[in-house]
Amino acid sequence: MSFQLKSRPCRVLALMPAMVALFCSIATVVAAQEPPPPKVELFGGYSYIYPGGTVYGLQPGALSPVSSLLESNPRGAGASLTYDFNRWFGLTLDTSIDWGSGESTFATRIDDAAFSNISIGPKFTYRTKHFSPFVEVLIGDHRLMPDAFHDVDKFGLMAGGGLDLDISRHFALRLFRADFVYSNYRYVAPGGPDTEIRGVRLQAGVNLMFGGETPPPPPSAACSAQPDEVFAGEPVTGTAAGSHFNSKRMIRYSWSGTGVKVAGTNASTQVDTSGLQPGMYSVNANLSDGSKPGVASCMAKFTVKQPRPPVIACSSDPGSIRTGGRATIRSSASSPDARNLSYSYSASAGDVSGTDATATLNSRDARPGPITVTCNVSDDRNLTASSTTVVNVEAPPPPPPPPTPAPRIKELETRLALHSIYFATAQPYATKPKGGLLPSQEQILVTLAQDYTEYLKFMPDAHLILGAHADSRGTPEYNKRLTERRLARATVTLIANGVPADHIDTKSYGLENQLTADQIKEQIADNPDLTPQDRKQMLANLQVMVLANNRRIDVTLSTTGQESTRRYPFNAKDFLALINTKDVEKKTTGTGKKAPTKK
């Protein structure tokens, strides 16, 4: 009888070179470093064979041969021993056996066959860190043992390859091993058909690896540049150190640089940084022991820093001197680059001397007025900086005036009438700080300034003390800022009319020291300028009068303690503007909120 079946092993063998190439590509990508090759490999595992041939034989008592396509045999085991001469070439001794089916009748046994081999041949392996694909060619004794016929030994060939997954240096999983099997057998008389095996053997298992030493690491070099930050013109030392070179050979050094001048044949070299612009530079060292593998190189970087000039500030002590007097000039200088500093001085008048952080100005022969002293500093790279200070030379004081008779001082103090100053609601505004002072109140300040400047001629230490108040409708913060604006407005008017600024003292009370309703009633009753009808009308609007009387600045004379008279200007032409309780400015504050409408 005869059986027909398409040959799947041929398709498998056709794909095998592509599979091996694919695994080699994967192994190349994942390889981090080449592992050391073993000396001996021992494989053992499962074996499967597809004979890929038709057996021709004589049935007992028959005259003509019968034939059957041999079935695949999954009942097998295999082992091989490989000696590796180097990392890619080895010699393999291989054996495998696939045993019979155990079936009993001739009809069921004719398509079954056992197979074994003992072969030897070269093995070529591509080793990476994780994968080791290989190809092999094996020749030797092939024994075909059909279940229905006798055993025959023939010379045969196997060729194929596989892929190992390396778990460790001594253990790997053989993911697959595929070999084409080629051998011929005869079970009939000469002239009859041969049994030709053109099949595939597939195996998988474990591969144990023994021996092999870790190869020495390749030569390497390390470079350094010290210091790694310098200024142009300062030296840099480049140093190279080699590792894993042949100890029996002398290492030769060759230096080069990028944008720098460097040369030498020793382990250290000097780098010339003269004239280099600020930036990063590098030096390179090539090391060689004269052998082909004994080569390594390295690079070191250093930075040329941007030079920074020194900084200086100077001051005079004292700031004012009499003609012919002396002042000490002090310099405070530093170098951001920690360089050595030197000092020098010059002056627009007089004489200045000194070569360190302290100098002396002599105002001899200098006219009254300011003298500008220039303090100079330079570092050891000739980078400089300057600063100035002014010393005021005062003229000799005039002879003191004759003493003023006490009656004259008393007369001036009596004439110096002090009156409190009143403001309209919420004025002056933050947007118009120069406004807000009504004409009647400005005139009071003008008169006060005239009397006070004459008084100062006799009492130069006298001061005017201004205390500002606000009514109770604003927040403490708002009222504080409002009273400060009122003080500033009154101060500007006094200074504009001859009062020295340093003779004016101010106090901002805000909501403090508020006048009560009873105090306002008393003031209305004591005011000689009001008629009974006026008093009646004021008392009828007492709350308005309390608010108006608290929008004021009180004035005190420091020498006598005299306080200003709190007499509300009921008869002033701008009285209605002063007493008005509504704010006419319709603007917003700097925070975007609407400004207060009352104050």
Side-chain angles (χ1 to χ4, degrees):
M1 59 184 171
S2 175
F3 299 90
Q4 298 294 326
L5 184 66
K6 291 183 178 180
S7 180
R8 287 176 295 175
C10 294
R11 292 196 296 270
V12 173
L13 288 173
L15 291 174
M16 196 162 61
M19 295 170 64
V20 172
L22 174 62
F23 282 113
C24 287
S25 300
I26 295 174
T28 301
V29 173
V30 301
Q33 61 182 17
E34 292 185 348
K39 278 296 181 184
V40 177
E41 300 178 64
L42 178 61
F43 164 74
Y46 171 75
S47 182
Y48 166 96
I49 189 168
Y50 178 76
T54 300
V55 62
Y56 297 92
L58 291 175
Q59 188 176 2
L63 297 178
S64 60
V66 294
S67 64
S68 176
L69 181 65
L70 293 175
E71 289 183 341
S72 59
N73 189 346
R75 301 172 297 278
S80 64
L81 180 68
T82 301
Y83 179 82
D84 293 307
F85 295 95
N86 51 44
R87 66 177 300 101
W88 60 271
F89 175 71
L91 186 64
T92 297
L93 178 64
D94 177 81
T95 184
S96 64
I97 183 169
D98 295 87
W99 48 87
S101 64
E103 296 175 339
S104 58
T105 66
F106 183 82
T108 58
R109 298 173 64 195
I110 192 170
D111 58 358
D112 297 321
F115 179 82
S116 67
N117 87 291
I118 298 178
S119 304
I120 191 170
K123 175 187 176 186
F124 301 89
T125 306
Y126 180 79
R127 302 183 188 277
T128 68
K129 183 177 181 181
H130 298 293
F131 293 97
S132 297
F134 63 90
V135 294
E136 60 187 358
V137 177
L138 303 171
I139 57 175
D141 179 73
H142 289 194
R143 171 174 285 192
L144 184 64
M145 297 168 282
D147 287 6
F149 306 107
H150 61 276
D151 301 345
V152 177
D153 288 276
K154 289 291 183 177
F155 182 81
L157 168 72
M158 289 186 183
L163 179 67
D164 291 346
L165 174 61
D166 298 322
I167 305 300
S168 69
R169 181 182 171 187
H170 300 291
F171 180 79
L173 294 177
R174 182 151 293 178
L175 302 181
F176 76 88
R177 182 185 189 187
D179 292 300
F180 172 73
V181 181
Y182 181 95
S183 56
N184 297 324
Y185 306 90
R186 179 175 290 278
Y187 292 95
V188 296
D194 287 344
T195 298
E196 298 178 348
I197 301 301
R198 305 291 187 268
V200 174
R201 183 186 70 173
L202 301 177
Q203 292 182 337
V206 298
N207 192 41
L208 304 179
M209 296 169 284
F210 306 94
E213 297 181 356
T214 303
S220 62
C223 289
S224 65
Q226 294 296 329
D228 57 0
E229 289 187 343
V230 296
F231 293 103
E234 295 180 339
V236 173
T237 301
T239 303
S243 302
H244 311 304
F245 282 87
N246 190 333
S247 60
K248 298 180 180 180
R249 291 177 173 268
M250 178 182 296
I251 300 176
R252 302 176 188 269
Y253 300 84
S254 175
W255 290 91
S256 62
T258 302
V260 297
K261 298 176 182 178
V262 58
T265 57
N266 297 320
S268 296
T269 187
Q270 291 294 314
V271 182
D272 183 4
T273 64
S274 302
L276 294 183
Q277 295 298 315
M280 181 172 288
Y281 298 85
S282 62
V283 291
N284 306 290
N286 296 312
L287 284 68
S288 174
D289 63 7
S291 64
K292 184 176 180 180
V295 176
S297 61
C298 58
M299 178 182 67
K301 295 183 178 181
F302 65 93
T303 300
V304 175
K305 297 184 291 184
Q306 177 71 47
R308 294 171 293 179
V311 293
I312 186 172
C314 62
S315 61
S316 61
D317 182 23
S320 296
I321 57 177
R322 301 289 185 185
T323 300
R326 296 173 181 265
T328 300
I329 308 301
R330 291 187 173 88
S331 295
S332 176
S334 63
S335 171
D337 298 334
R339 312 298 294 196
N340 295 325
L341 301 178
S342 58
Y343 299 84
S344 62
Y345 300 87
S346 61
S348 60
D351 297 320
V352 61
S353 59
T355 56
D356 54 16
T358 302
T360 300
L361 173 67
N362 188 341
S363 63
R364 180 182 57 229
D365 301 329
R367 296 182 179 181
I371 296 178
T372 300
V373 179
T374 302
C375 308
N376 306 297
V377 65
S378 63
D379 62 17
D380 51 12
R381 300 164 302 183
N382 294 323
L383 295 179
T384 63
S386 299
S387 180
T388 61
T389 186
V390 175
V391 179
N392 189 42
V393 178
E394 299 177 348
T404 304
R408 178 56 178 163
I409 297 176
K410 202 67 176 176
E411 178 184 347
L412 288 172
E413 290 176 349
T414 302
R415 197 180 74 181
L416 187 62
L418 305 179
H419 295 279
S420 295
I421 310 302
Y422 295 87
F423 289 83
T425 296
Q427 294 194 29
Y429 301 125
T431 57
K432 298 179 180 179
K434 294 183 179 180
L437 191 62
L438 297 181
S440 63
Q441 305 308 300
E442 185 175 10
Q443 185 57 46
I444 292 174
L445 288 174
V446 171
T447 303
L448 173 62
Q450 293 171 349
D451 292 341
Y452 178 72
T453 52
E454 184 179 355
Y455 180 70
L456 281 179
K457 296 177 182 179
F458 305 103
M459 299 296 289
D461 295 330
H463 281 237
L464 290 177
I465 304 171
L466 308 183
H469 302 266
D471 65 38
S472 60
R473 290 174 294 163
T475 64
E477 294 80 4
Y478 177 83
N479 281 346
K480 188 72 173 176
R481 293 192 297 271
L482 177 59
T483 54
E484 289 172 354
R485 292 198 298 273
R486 287 171 176 168
L487 286 170
R489 184 66 183 90
T491 300
V492 168
T493 301
L494 289 172
I495 294 174
N497 286 274
V499 177
D502 58 353
H503 283 64
I504 301 175
D505 300 331
T506 60
K507 295 181 180 180
S508 175
Y509 291 104
L511 291 174
E512 301 175 26
N513 300 336
Q514 290 275 307
L515 294 177
T516 64
D518 291 338
Q519 290 174 309
I520 301 304
K521 288 179 183 180
E522 183 178 349
Q523 287 186 13
I524 293 174
D526 294 340
N527 192 339
D529 298 331
L530 296 178
T531 64
Q533 184 178 357
D534 291 335
R535 289 190 178 91
K536 182 177 179 181
Q537 183 179 2
M538 299 305 167
L539 292 174
N541 295 278
L542 182 61
Q543 183 57 39
V544 173
M545 297 307 299
V546 171
L547 294 175
N549 275 270
N550 279 312
R551 297 191 295 271
R552 72 185 189 280
I553 290 179
D554 293 330
V555 185
T556 303
L557 185 61
S558 65
T559 53
T560 64
Q562 178 185 355
E563 296 182 352
S564 60
T565 303
R566 297 172 182 167
R567 183 166 295 171
Y568 202 75
F570 299 104
N571 298 327
K573 292 182 180 181
D574 46 20
F575 168 70
L576 293 179
L578 285 173
I579 204 171
N580 185 13
T581 59
K582 294 183 178 180
D583 180 6
V584 298
E585 184 180 46
K586 304 300 181 182
K587 295 185 177 180
T588 59
T589 65
T591 60
K593 299 180 180 180
K594 190 174 181 180
T597 57
K598 291 183 179 182
K599 185 64 200 79

